[in-house]
Amino acid sequence: ALLAVSALVLAAHAHPVSTSLVSVPLQPVPKRGSSLLPSSVVHQQHLNRALRRLDHFTRSTSPTTDDQLLHNLARRAAALPPHLHERYYLPSLDYLSRLAAQNANQSGSNASQNFAVNGKDTEAGEATHSDGVTPAKKPTFKNTLGLDIQAQDIGYLSQVQIGTPKRDFRLLMDSGSADLWIGAEDCQPSNLDAEQENCGPHLLLGPNSSSTFHDTQTSWQIEYGTGSVSGTIVTDTISIAGLKLTNHTFGVAHHESDEFIPDYIPFDGLLGLAKRMISRQKVPTLLDALVSTGDIKHPIISYHIPRLADGKSNNYGELTFGALNPAKYDPKTLVSVTNVSPLGFWEASLQDVIVNGKKLGWTNRTAIFDTGTTLLIGPPADVNALHANIPSAVYHNDTNYWTLPCVTPKGSKPPTMALKIGGRTFPIDSRDLLFMPIDDAHPDGDCLSGISAGMPGGPNEWLVGDVFLKNVYMSTNEETNKISFANLKK
Protein backbone atom coordinates (compact mmCIF):
# COMPACT_ATOMS: atom_id res chain seq x y z
CA ALA A 1 0.00 0.00 0.00
CA LEU A 2 1.19 3.49 -0.75
CA LEU A 3 1.50 5.88 2.13
CA ALA A 4 -1.24 8.43 1.72
CA VAL A 5 1.20 11.28 1.91
CA SER A 6 3.14 9.65 -0.92
CA ALA A 7 0.09 8.92 -3.03
CA LEU A 8 -1.52 12.34 -2.77
CA VAL A 9 1.18 14.84 -1.89
CA LEU A 10 3.87 13.59 -4.25
CA ALA A 11 2.19 11.10 -6.52
CA ALA A 12 3.24 12.98 -9.60
CA HIS A 13 7.00 12.44 -9.18
CA ALA A 14 9.50 11.28 -6.64
CA HIS A 15 11.67 14.01 -5.15
CA PRO A 16 14.81 14.38 -3.08
CA VAL A 17 14.81 14.31 0.71
CA SER A 18 17.42 17.06 0.69
CA THR A 19 18.93 19.30 -1.93
CA SER A 20 21.95 17.01 -2.22
CA LEU A 21 19.81 14.30 -3.75
CA VAL A 22 18.46 13.78 -7.24
CA SER A 23 14.93 14.68 -8.33
CA VAL A 24 13.42 12.44 -10.99
CA PRO A 25 9.91 11.72 -12.20
CA LEU A 26 8.89 8.27 -10.99
CA GLN A 27 5.24 8.08 -10.06
CA PRO A 28 2.39 8.55 -12.52
CA VAL A 29 -0.67 10.56 -11.62
CA PRO A 30 -4.26 10.03 -12.76
CA LYS A 31 -4.70 11.03 -16.35
CA ARG A 32 -6.62 14.07 -17.35
CA GLY A 33 -10.29 13.59 -17.92
CA SER A 34 -10.45 10.47 -15.77
CA SER A 35 -12.92 10.10 -12.92
CA LEU A 36 -10.29 9.04 -10.43
CA LEU A 37 -9.16 12.20 -8.64
CA PRO A 38 -10.45 15.77 -8.83
CA SER A 39 -8.71 17.88 -11.45
CA SER A 40 -7.59 20.49 -8.93
CA VAL A 41 -5.89 17.80 -6.82
CA VAL A 42 -4.12 16.35 -9.86
CA HIS A 43 -3.03 19.86 -10.80
CA GLN A 44 -1.58 20.37 -7.32
CA GLN A 45 0.27 17.07 -7.56
CA HIS A 46 2.03 18.36 -10.68
CA LEU A 47 2.73 21.67 -8.95
CA ASN A 48 4.11 19.88 -5.86
CA ARG A 49 6.38 17.86 -8.09
CA ALA A 50 7.63 21.01 -9.80
CA LEU A 51 8.32 22.72 -6.48
CA ARG A 52 10.45 19.76 -5.37
CA ARG A 53 12.38 19.77 -8.62
CA LEU A 54 12.98 23.50 -8.23
CA ASP A 55 14.40 22.92 -4.76
CA HIS A 56 16.86 20.49 -6.29
CA PHE A 57 17.75 22.53 -9.38
CA THR A 58 18.42 25.68 -7.33
CA ARG A 59 20.06 23.92 -4.35
CA SER A 60 17.53 25.63 -2.10
CA THR A 61 18.66 26.21 1.47
CA SER A 62 15.04 26.15 2.63
CA PRO A 63 13.37 23.42 0.57
CA THR A 64 9.63 22.93 0.51
CA THR A 65 8.55 20.61 3.33
CA ASP A 66 6.11 17.73 3.17
CA ASP A 67 3.84 19.68 5.51
CA GLN A 68 3.74 22.55 3.05
CA LEU A 69 2.94 20.28 0.13
CA LEU A 70 0.25 18.49 2.09
CA HIS A 71 -1.24 21.84 3.09
CA ASN A 72 -1.40 22.79 -0.58
CA LEU A 73 -3.40 19.64 -1.32
CA ALA A 74 -5.58 20.14 1.73
CA ARG A 75 -6.63 23.56 0.45
CA ARG A 76 -7.61 22.04 -2.89
CA ALA A 77 -9.63 19.24 -1.28
CA ALA A 78 -11.39 21.59 1.13
CA ALA A 79 -12.45 23.88 -1.72
CA LEU A 80 -14.12 21.12 -3.74
CA PRO A 81 -17.84 21.78 -4.26
CA PRO A 82 -20.17 19.18 -2.72
CA HIS A 83 -21.04 17.48 -6.01
CA LEU A 84 -17.36 16.83 -6.75
CA HIS A 85 -16.72 15.58 -3.22
CA GLU A 86 -19.47 13.02 -3.74
CA ARG A 87 -18.29 12.01 -7.20
CA TYR A 88 -14.67 11.54 -6.16
CA TYR A 89 -15.21 10.09 -2.72
CA LEU A 90 -11.97 8.88 -1.18
CA PRO A 91 -11.15 8.74 2.54
CA SER A 92 -7.89 10.51 1.74
CA LEU A 93 -9.80 13.49 0.34
CA ASP A 94 -11.89 13.66 3.50
CA TYR A 95 -8.69 13.60 5.50
CA LEU A 96 -7.26 16.48 3.47
CA SER A 97 -10.43 18.52 3.99
CA ARG A 98 -10.27 17.97 7.74
CA LEU A 99 -6.59 18.86 7.71
CA ALA A 100 -7.35 22.15 5.97
CA ALA A 101 -9.82 23.03 8.69
CA GLN A 102 -7.30 22.06 11.35
CA ASN A 103 -4.56 24.14 9.74
CA ALA A 104 -6.88 27.13 9.65
CA ASN A 105 -7.01 27.01 13.46
CA GLN A 106 -3.54 25.73 14.24
CA SER A 107 -0.35 26.66 12.41
CA GLY A 108 2.79 24.58 12.41
CA SER A 109 0.92 21.27 12.47
CA ASN A 110 2.99 18.14 11.98
CA ALA A 111 -0.02 16.29 10.67
CA SER A 112 1.58 15.15 7.45
CA GLN A 113 4.32 13.35 9.34
CA ASN A 114 1.84 11.63 11.62
CA PHE A 115 -0.37 10.75 8.68
CA ALA A 116 2.53 9.23 6.79
CA VAL A 117 3.37 7.02 9.75
CA ASN A 118 -0.11 6.05 10.89
CA GLY A 119 -2.38 6.29 7.87
CA LYS A 120 -2.17 4.13 4.75
CA ASP A 121 -4.32 4.45 1.71
CA THR A 122 -4.22 2.51 -1.55
CA GLU A 123 -6.95 4.27 -3.44
CA ALA A 124 -4.90 7.10 -4.88
CA GLY A 125 -2.28 4.62 -6.03
CA GLU A 126 -4.89 2.35 -7.58
CA ALA A 127 -6.38 5.37 -9.29
CA THR A 128 -3.54 5.36 -11.78
CA HIS A 129 -4.20 1.86 -13.11
CA SER A 130 -5.98 3.20 -16.16
CA ASP A 131 -2.92 5.14 -17.34
CA GLY A 132 -1.55 3.87 -20.63
CA VAL A 133 1.41 4.41 -22.92
CA THR A 134 1.09 5.83 -26.44
CA PRO A 135 3.90 4.42 -28.60
CA ALA A 136 5.98 6.64 -30.84
CA LYS A 137 6.38 6.27 -34.57
CA LYS A 138 9.61 4.50 -35.50
CA PRO A 139 12.31 7.17 -36.05
CA THR A 140 14.06 7.31 -39.41
CA PHE A 141 16.97 9.56 -38.37
CA LYS A 142 20.21 7.99 -37.15
CA ASN A 143 21.02 7.63 -33.44
CA THR A 144 17.41 8.39 -32.50
CA LEU A 145 14.91 6.93 -30.02
CA GLY A 146 11.15 7.28 -30.26
CA LEU A 147 9.52 8.87 -27.20
CA ASP A 148 6.46 6.97 -26.03
CA ILE A 149 3.97 9.12 -24.12
CA GLN A 150 3.09 8.10 -20.56
CA ALA A 151 -0.57 8.82 -19.84
CA GLN A 152 -1.46 12.43 -20.70
CA ASP A 153 2.04 13.82 -21.34
CA ILE A 154 3.28 13.15 -17.79
CA GLY A 155 6.41 11.25 -18.86
CA TYR A 156 8.32 10.03 -21.90
CA LEU A 157 9.66 6.50 -22.33
CA SER A 158 12.00 4.72 -24.75
CA GLN A 159 13.08 1.17 -25.51
CA VAL A 160 16.72 0.27 -24.75
CA GLN A 161 18.26 -3.15 -25.37
CA ILE A 162 20.40 -4.51 -22.53
CA GLY A 163 22.24 -7.79 -21.92
CA THR A 164 23.13 -10.94 -23.87
CA PRO A 165 20.81 -11.99 -25.37
CA LYS A 166 19.55 -8.43 -25.57
CA ARG A 167 16.09 -7.66 -24.25
CA ASP A 168 13.95 -4.55 -24.59
CA PHE A 169 13.82 -2.50 -21.40
CA ARG A 170 11.43 0.43 -21.22
CA LEU A 171 13.19 3.38 -19.55
CA LEU A 172 11.91 6.74 -18.41
CA MET A 173 13.88 9.54 -20.08
CA ASP A 174 14.74 12.37 -17.65
CA SER A 175 16.77 15.52 -18.31
CA GLY A 176 16.88 16.26 -14.57
CA SER A 177 19.11 13.37 -13.47
CA ALA A 178 22.26 11.67 -14.70
CA ASP A 179 22.07 7.96 -13.77
CA LEU A 180 20.92 4.86 -15.64
CA TRP A 181 19.41 2.09 -13.53
CA ILE A 182 17.06 -0.88 -13.79
CA GLY A 183 15.86 -3.53 -11.36
CA ALA A 184 18.14 -6.44 -10.42
CA GLU A 185 17.01 -10.07 -10.69
CA ASP A 186 16.93 -10.33 -6.90
CA CYS A 187 15.12 -7.01 -6.51
CA GLN A 188 13.03 -6.83 -3.35
CA PRO A 189 10.80 -4.17 -1.84
CA SER A 190 12.76 -2.05 0.61
CA ASN A 191 9.69 -1.60 2.81
CA LEU A 192 9.30 -4.51 5.19
CA ASP A 193 5.51 -4.24 5.18
CA ALA A 194 5.17 -4.01 1.39
CA GLU A 195 2.25 -5.97 -0.02
CA GLN A 196 4.37 -7.36 -2.87
CA GLU A 197 7.19 -9.83 -2.31
CA ASN A 198 9.15 -8.71 -5.37
CA CYS A 199 9.62 -5.66 -7.56
CA GLY A 200 6.54 -6.28 -9.64
CA PRO A 201 6.12 -7.43 -13.23
CA HIS A 202 8.98 -5.35 -14.57
CA LEU A 203 11.87 -6.64 -16.65
CA LEU A 204 14.91 -7.34 -14.46
CA LEU A 205 18.62 -7.86 -15.18
CA GLY A 206 21.27 -10.16 -13.75
CA PRO A 207 23.55 -13.16 -14.39
CA ASN A 208 20.62 -15.50 -15.04
CA SER A 209 19.31 -13.41 -17.91
CA SER A 210 22.55 -12.02 -19.39
CA SER A 211 25.82 -13.83 -20.04
CA THR A 212 27.70 -10.51 -20.29
CA PHE A 213 26.43 -9.16 -16.96
CA HIS A 214 29.07 -8.37 -14.31
CA ASP A 215 28.40 -7.03 -10.82
CA THR A 216 31.21 -4.91 -9.40
CA GLN A 217 29.70 -5.15 -5.88
CA THR A 218 30.15 -1.39 -5.51
CA SER A 219 27.14 0.05 -3.73
CA TRP A 220 25.10 3.07 -4.80
CA GLN A 221 21.78 4.57 -3.82
CA ILE A 222 19.34 7.37 -4.49
CA GLU A 223 16.89 8.48 -1.83
CA TYR A 224 13.62 10.23 -2.52
CA GLY A 225 11.02 11.87 -0.33
CA THR A 226 8.58 9.16 -1.39
CA GLY A 227 10.98 6.26 -1.56
CA SER A 228 14.42 5.04 -2.45
CA VAL A 229 16.44 2.81 -4.73
CA SER A 230 19.66 1.08 -3.73
CA GLY A 231 21.85 -1.47 -5.42
CA THR A 232 25.23 -2.07 -7.01
CA ILE A 233 27.22 -0.81 -9.96
CA VAL A 234 27.33 -3.30 -12.85
CA THR A 235 28.56 -3.59 -16.43
CA ASP A 236 26.76 -5.07 -19.42
CA THR A 237 26.15 -4.59 -23.10
CA ILE A 238 23.71 -1.84 -24.08
CA SER A 239 22.25 -1.09 -27.49
CA ILE A 240 20.49 2.24 -27.80
CA ALA A 241 19.26 4.11 -30.88
CA GLY A 242 21.30 1.79 -33.12
CA LEU A 243 24.48 2.33 -31.09
CA LYS A 244 26.21 -0.39 -29.05
CA LEU A 245 28.18 -0.04 -25.83
CA THR A 246 30.14 -3.04 -24.55
CA ASN A 247 30.74 -3.29 -20.80
CA HIS A 248 28.90 -0.06 -20.10
CA THR A 249 28.80 0.88 -16.42
CA PHE A 250 25.46 1.65 -14.76
CA GLY A 251 23.36 0.58 -11.79
CA VAL A 252 20.90 -2.13 -10.83
CA ALA A 253 18.47 -1.80 -7.96
CA HIS A 254 18.44 -4.63 -5.41
CA HIS A 255 15.91 -2.76 -3.30
CA GLU A 256 13.10 -0.48 -4.43
CA SER A 257 10.50 1.18 -2.27
CA ASP A 258 6.88 0.48 -3.08
CA GLU A 259 6.54 3.63 -5.19
CA PHE A 260 8.55 1.87 -7.92
CA ILE A 261 7.18 -1.65 -8.02
CA PRO A 262 3.41 -1.64 -8.77
CA ASP A 263 2.34 -3.12 -12.09
CA TYR A 264 0.86 0.21 -13.21
CA ILE A 265 4.34 1.76 -13.30
CA PRO A 266 4.99 1.43 -17.05
CA PHE A 267 8.80 1.50 -17.03
CA ASP A 268 11.58 -0.86 -15.93
CA GLY A 269 14.10 1.81 -14.98
CA LEU A 270 15.35 5.28 -15.72
CA LEU A 271 17.86 6.96 -18.01
CA GLY A 272 19.16 10.30 -16.73
CA LEU A 273 20.26 12.76 -19.41
CA ALA A 274 21.77 15.57 -17.33
CA LYS A 275 25.47 16.21 -16.81
CA ARG A 276 27.78 13.75 -15.07
CA MET A 277 28.50 16.16 -12.21
CA ILE A 278 25.15 15.28 -10.61
CA SER A 279 25.49 11.49 -11.02
CA ARG A 280 25.01 9.53 -7.79
CA GLN A 281 26.72 6.48 -9.30
CA LYS A 282 29.83 8.58 -10.04
CA VAL A 283 30.40 6.84 -13.36
CA PRO A 284 30.41 8.17 -16.93
CA THR A 285 26.93 8.86 -18.22
CA LEU A 286 25.58 7.08 -21.25
CA LEU A 287 26.20 10.25 -23.29
CA ASP A 288 29.80 10.37 -22.03
CA ALA A 289 30.29 6.75 -23.08
CA LEU A 290 28.87 7.29 -26.57
CA VAL A 291 31.31 10.17 -27.12
CA SER A 292 34.36 8.36 -25.67
CA THR A 293 33.79 5.32 -27.89
CA GLY A 294 33.41 7.49 -30.97
CA ASP A 295 29.84 6.39 -31.60
CA ILE A 296 28.89 10.06 -31.67
CA LYS A 297 31.21 13.03 -32.18
CA HIS A 298 29.58 15.58 -29.91
CA PRO A 299 27.82 15.37 -26.51
CA ILE A 300 24.50 16.58 -27.90
CA ILE A 301 20.99 15.48 -26.98
CA SER A 302 18.05 16.80 -29.01
CA TYR A 303 14.39 16.56 -28.05
CA HIS A 304 11.09 16.66 -29.87
CA ILE A 305 8.60 16.32 -27.00
CA PRO A 306 5.29 14.87 -28.24
CA ARG A 307 1.75 15.90 -27.37
CA LEU A 308 -1.05 13.35 -26.89
CA ALA A 309 -3.62 15.94 -28.01
CA ASP A 310 -2.14 15.66 -31.51
CA GLY A 311 -3.64 12.17 -31.69
CA LYS A 312 -2.51 8.72 -30.64
CA SER A 313 -1.55 7.90 -34.22
CA ASN A 314 0.54 11.07 -34.51
CA ASN A 315 3.22 10.55 -31.89
CA TYR A 316 6.38 11.59 -33.70
CA GLY A 317 8.26 12.37 -30.49
CA GLU A 318 11.93 11.48 -30.48
CA LEU A 319 15.31 11.92 -28.78
CA THR A 320 18.52 12.10 -30.83
CA PHE A 321 22.09 11.55 -29.61
CA GLY A 322 24.99 13.49 -31.12
CA ALA A 323 23.13 15.79 -33.50
CA LEU A 324 20.00 17.73 -34.37
CA ASN A 325 17.51 16.12 -36.74
CA PRO A 326 17.05 18.64 -39.59
CA ALA A 327 13.68 17.11 -40.47
CA LYS A 328 12.27 18.23 -37.12
CA TYR A 329 12.93 21.97 -37.01
CA ASP A 330 12.94 25.14 -39.08
CA PRO A 331 16.64 26.13 -39.43
CA LYS A 332 15.74 29.79 -39.99
CA THR A 333 14.43 29.93 -36.41
CA LEU A 334 17.36 28.18 -34.70
CA VAL A 335 18.98 30.09 -31.83
CA SER A 336 21.66 29.00 -29.35
CA VAL A 337 22.01 30.47 -25.86
CA THR A 338 24.52 29.97 -23.07
CA ASN A 339 23.67 27.67 -20.19
CA VAL A 340 23.96 29.78 -17.04
CA SER A 341 23.53 26.93 -14.54
CA PRO A 342 26.72 25.74 -12.81
CA LEU A 343 24.84 22.84 -11.21
CA GLY A 344 24.57 20.36 -14.07
CA PHE A 345 21.16 21.38 -15.40
CA TRP A 346 20.06 23.57 -18.32
CA GLU A 347 19.13 27.19 -17.66
CA ALA A 348 19.18 30.26 -19.90
CA SER A 349 18.18 33.91 -20.05
CA LEU A 350 14.46 34.51 -20.61
CA GLN A 351 14.38 37.86 -22.41
CA ASP A 352 10.64 38.52 -22.29
CA VAL A 353 7.17 37.01 -22.14
CA ILE A 354 4.52 38.08 -24.62
CA VAL A 355 0.82 37.63 -23.76
CA ASN A 356 -1.92 38.40 -26.29
CA GLY A 357 0.62 40.36 -28.28
CA LYS A 358 1.71 42.50 -25.32
CA LYS A 359 5.36 42.46 -24.25
CA LEU A 360 5.55 42.29 -20.47
CA GLY A 361 9.01 43.88 -20.46
CA TRP A 362 10.73 41.20 -18.39
CA THR A 363 14.37 41.45 -19.39
CA ASN A 364 16.10 39.99 -16.34
CA ARG A 365 14.53 36.53 -15.97
CA THR A 366 16.14 33.11 -16.33
CA ALA A 367 14.44 29.79 -17.04
CA ILE A 368 15.37 26.22 -16.11
CA PHE A 369 14.27 23.93 -18.96
CA ASP A 370 13.14 20.52 -17.71
CA THR A 371 11.45 17.73 -19.67
CA GLY A 372 10.36 16.16 -16.37
CA THR A 373 8.13 19.11 -15.40
CA THR A 374 4.61 19.25 -16.81
CA LEU A 375 3.68 22.85 -15.96
CA LEU A 376 5.24 26.26 -16.43
CA ILE A 377 6.17 27.61 -12.98
CA GLY A 378 7.03 31.21 -12.20
CA PRO A 379 7.27 33.62 -9.27
CA PRO A 380 3.79 34.59 -7.99
CA ALA A 381 4.09 38.23 -9.08
CA ASP A 382 5.00 37.18 -12.63
CA VAL A 383 2.26 34.57 -12.86
CA ASN A 384 -0.36 37.03 -11.64
CA ALA A 385 0.81 39.73 -14.05
CA LEU A 386 0.77 37.26 -16.92
CA HIS A 387 -2.81 36.15 -16.26
CA ALA A 388 -3.91 39.75 -15.73
CA ASN A 389 -3.27 40.23 -19.43
CA ILE A 390 -5.70 37.45 -20.33
CA PRO A 391 -9.21 38.93 -19.94
CA SER A 392 -10.87 35.55 -19.47
CA ALA A 393 -8.46 34.38 -16.73
CA VAL A 394 -9.92 34.05 -13.21
CA TYR A 395 -7.94 33.77 -9.97
CA HIS A 396 -9.26 31.46 -7.23
CA ASN A 397 -7.91 32.80 -3.96
CA ASP A 398 -9.06 29.87 -1.81
CA THR A 399 -7.04 27.40 -3.85
CA ASN A 400 -4.32 29.66 -5.29
CA TYR A 401 -4.77 28.79 -8.95
CA TRP A 402 -5.88 30.45 -12.18
CA THR A 403 -8.49 29.16 -14.62
CA LEU A 404 -9.12 29.81 -18.30
CA PRO A 405 -12.14 28.90 -20.44
CA CYS A 406 -11.73 25.40 -21.85
CA VAL A 407 -13.52 26.51 -25.03
CA THR A 408 -12.99 29.92 -26.57
CA PRO A 409 -16.32 31.82 -26.70
CA LYS A 410 -17.72 32.61 -30.13
CA GLY A 411 -16.38 35.85 -31.48
CA SER A 412 -13.27 35.64 -29.28
CA LYS A 413 -9.75 34.48 -29.94
CA PRO A 414 -7.90 31.98 -27.72
CA PRO A 415 -5.21 33.52 -25.51
CA THR A 416 -1.72 33.62 -26.95
CA MET A 417 1.59 33.43 -25.15
CA ALA A 418 5.20 33.29 -26.24
CA LEU A 419 8.67 33.25 -24.68
CA LYS A 420 11.53 35.32 -26.09
CA ILE A 421 14.82 33.42 -26.00
CA GLY A 422 18.02 34.28 -27.85
CA GLY A 423 16.34 37.18 -29.58
CA ARG A 424 13.55 35.04 -31.06
CA THR A 425 9.94 34.70 -29.97
CA PHE A 426 8.63 31.14 -29.56
CA PRO A 427 4.82 30.83 -29.35
CA ILE A 428 2.99 28.33 -27.16
CA ASP A 429 0.02 26.41 -28.58
CA SER A 430 -3.10 27.67 -26.79
CA ARG A 431 -4.05 24.04 -26.05
CA ASP A 432 -0.97 23.74 -23.86
CA LEU A 433 -2.08 26.65 -21.69
CA LEU A 434 -5.01 24.49 -20.52
CA PHE A 435 -4.10 21.79 -18.01
CA MET A 436 -7.49 20.08 -17.61
CA PRO A 437 -11.16 20.93 -16.91
CA ILE A 438 -12.10 21.80 -13.34
CA ASP A 439 -15.00 19.37 -13.73
CA ASP A 440 -14.38 16.62 -16.27
CA ALA A 441 -18.14 16.20 -16.65
CA HIS A 442 -18.16 19.70 -18.17
CA PRO A 443 -15.21 19.87 -20.58
CA ASP A 444 -16.62 23.07 -22.06
CA GLY A 445 -16.41 24.88 -18.69
CA ASP A 446 -13.32 26.28 -16.97
CA CYS A 447 -9.89 24.69 -17.20
CA LEU A 448 -6.97 24.92 -14.80
CA SER A 449 -4.18 27.02 -16.23
CA GLY A 450 -0.94 25.27 -17.18
CA ILE A 451 0.93 28.23 -15.69
CA SER A 452 1.26 28.16 -11.91
CA ALA A 453 2.96 30.14 -9.17
CA GLY A 454 5.88 28.78 -7.23
CA MET A 455 8.93 30.24 -5.56
CA PRO A 456 11.95 29.21 -7.64
CA GLY A 457 15.52 30.14 -6.74
CA GLY A 458 14.65 33.84 -6.77
CA PRO A 459 12.03 36.37 -7.86
CA ASN A 460 13.31 36.29 -11.45
CA GLU A 461 13.67 32.54 -12.04
CA TRP A 462 11.22 30.28 -13.89
CA LEU A 463 10.91 26.51 -14.28
CA VAL A 464 9.83 25.83 -17.85
CA GLY A 465 8.37 22.40 -18.50
CA ASP A 466 6.39 20.69 -21.22
CA VAL A 467 3.77 23.46 -21.53
CA PHE A 468 6.51 25.20 -23.52
CA LEU A 469 8.81 22.38 -24.58
CA LYS A 470 6.11 20.63 -26.63
CA ASN A 471 6.21 23.68 -28.90
CA VAL A 472 9.92 23.76 -29.78
CA TYR A 473 12.79 21.60 -30.84
CA MET A 474 15.36 21.73 -28.03
CA SER A 475 18.97 20.58 -28.10
CA THR A 476 21.65 20.63 -25.39
CA ASN A 477 25.39 20.53 -26.05
CA GLU A 478 27.72 19.76 -23.12
CA GLU A 479 30.81 20.55 -25.21
CA THR A 480 29.77 24.16 -25.89
CA ASN A 481 27.51 24.47 -22.81
CA LYS A 482 24.78 25.79 -25.11
CA ILE A 483 21.03 25.21 -25.37
CA SER A 484 19.44 25.50 -28.81
CA PHE A 485 15.79 26.14 -29.64
CA ALA A 486 13.91 26.22 -32.92
CA ASN A 487 10.35 26.16 -34.16
CA LEU A 488 9.12 22.70 -35.05
CA LYS A 489 8.91 22.07 -38.77
CA LYS A 490 5.32 22.10 -39.98
Side-chain angles (χ1 to χ4, degrees), residues 90-235:
L90 287 172
S92 50
L93 290 180
D94 283 348
Y95 168 82
L96 290 173
S97 297
R98 294 194 303 272
L99 180 63
Q102 173 186 330
N103 286 344
N105 298 316
Q106 179 182 357
S107 62
S109 169
N110 198 33
S112 67
Q113 184 176 10
N114 294 334
F115 186 44
V117 172
N118 301 319
K120 292 192 175 183
D121 181 84
T122 62
E123 293 154 298
E126 292 170 353
T128 63
H129 286 202
S130 61
D131 280 355
V133 173
T134 302
K137 298 288 186 181
K138 185 177 180 180
T140 58
F141 191 64
K142 64 180 181 179
N143 306 341
T144 298
L145 293 170
L147 288 177
D148 300 341
I149 303 172
Q150 181 186 352
Q152 298 266 0
D153 303 344
I154 68 171
Y156 301 96
L157 319 172
S158 292
Q159 299 281 348
V160 177
Q161 294 72 46
I162 305 177
T164 305
K166 61 184 180 182
R167 294 180 296 155
D168 289 333
F169 288 79
R170 179 184 276 170
L171 303 182
L172 181 66
M173 303 288 114
D174 178 47
S175 66
S177 65
D179 294 304
L180 165 60
W181 65 265
I182 56 177
E185 287 177 344
D186 63 352
C187 184
Q188 297 292 321
S190 56
N191 300 334
L192 297 179
D193 57 351
E195 293 182 353
Q196 291 185 217
E197 296 182 357
N198 53 40
C199 290
H202 301 109
L203 208 57
L204 305 173
L205 182 69
N208 295 321
S209 57
S210 174
S211 62
T212 48
F213 176 90
H214 172 68
D215 193 332
T216 69
Q217 302 298 318
T218 300
S219 298
W220 74 280
Q221 66 176 0
I222 301 178
E223 297 183 22
Y224 306 92
T226 55
S228 61
V229 171
S230 63
T232 52
I233 303 297
V234 303
T235 62

Side-chain angles (χ1 to χ4, degrees), residues 287-311:
L287 184 66
D288 290 337
L290 291 174
V291 172
S292 65
T293 58
D295 286 306
I296 59 176
K297 291 183 179 180
H298 305 288
I300 294 172
I301 302 178
S302 302
Y303 305 82
H304 173 199
I305 303 297
R307 177 191 296 111
L308 187 61
D310 289 336

Side-chain angles (χ1 to χ4, degrees), residues 335-337 349 351 420-424 426:
V335 297
S336 294
V337 293
S349 173
Q351 296 173 317
K420 186 177 180 181
I421 304 168
R424 178 166 291 277
F426 294 98

Side-chain angles (χ1 to χ4, degrees), residues 37-44 88 435-440 448:
L37 282 175
S39 301
S40 61
V41 173
V42 177
H43 183 265
Q44 187 63 56
Y88 295 100
F435 179 73
M436 59 195 301
I438 288 286
D439 185 345
D440 58 15
L448 292 146

Side-chain angles (χ1 to χ4, degrees), residues 1-12 26-30 37 45 92 115-129 191 193-196 226-228 256-265:
L2 294 178
L3 293 179
V5 71
S6 301
L8 282 176
V9 179
L10 302 164
L26 289 170
Q27 180 92 337
V29 298
L37 282 175
Q45 289 177 322
S92 50
F115 186 44
V117 172
N118 301 319
K120 292 192 175 183
D121 181 84
T122 62
E123 293 154 298
E126 292 170 353
T128 63
H129 286 202
N191 300 334
D193 57 351
E195 293 182 353
Q196 291 185 217
T226 55
S228 61
E256 299 176 5
S257 59
D258 54 8
E259 291 80 13
F260 295 76
I261 61 179
D263 56 5
Y264 58 80
I265 300 295

